[in-house]
């Protein structure tokens, strides 16, 4: 089942976000199992919203992400997870889940 994951990194910066994405060495693509990713700042908090194919795919990725953010001194994020009910996209862009 596809899930939505919202992570809120209090005290993190866009520079740290950019550094994490560089360290992941994904070549500008999302990791396996991640259908959609967006990150940015809101109210002084780094926020990342993603759609994952499954919780298993997310947990596999967190095994890579966690050590990177920890090594950078980033606090663990507040995480909200909920099941996807529907995804709407422009007509020419399809996400299968």
């Amino acid at each position: 089942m596809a899930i939505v994951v919202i992570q809120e990194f209090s005290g993190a910066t866009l520079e740290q976000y950019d550094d994490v994405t560089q360290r992941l060495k994904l070549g500008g693509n999302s990791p396996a199992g991640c259908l959609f990713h967006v990150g940015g700042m809101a109210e002084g908090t780094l926020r990342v919203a993603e759609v994952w194919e499954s919780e298993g795919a997310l947990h596999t990725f967190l095994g890579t992400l966690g050590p990177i953010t920890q090594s950078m001194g980033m606090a663990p994020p507040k995480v909200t997870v909920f099941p996807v009910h529907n995804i709407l996209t422009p007509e020419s862009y399809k996400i299968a889940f």
Side-chain angles (χ1 to χ4, degrees):
M1 169 193 306
I3 59 169
V4 176
V5 179
I6 300 171
Q7 299 180 71
E8 298 177 70
F9 292 88
S10 181
T13 66
L14 289 176
E15 290 78 16
Q16 287 175 308
Y17 170 85
D18 291 341
D19 192 15
V20 168
T21 58
Q22 288 293 325
R23 291 181 188 209
L24 288 170
K25 298 179 182 173
L26 296 170
N29 298 303
S30 61
C34 183
L35 302 174
F36 181 83
H37 169 97
V38 62
M41 297 294 289
E43 301 170 359
T45 299
L46 174 61
R47 297 184 185 183
V48 174
E50 298 170 323
V51 176
W52 285 85
E53 292 176 344
S54 66
E55 283 194 54
L58 169 65
H59 289 292
T60 297
F61 174 68
L62 292 178
T64 301
L65 178 65
I68 291 172
T69 58
Q70 288 173 0
S71 74
M72 296 172 61
M74 294 172 67
K78 174 185 170 193
V79 179
T80 304
V81 177
F82 55 93
V84 170
H85 174 71
N86 192 19
I87 297 176
L88 299 174
T89 62
E91 189 172 326
S92 63
Y93 185 80
K94 302 293 181 201
I95 296 177
F97 68 99

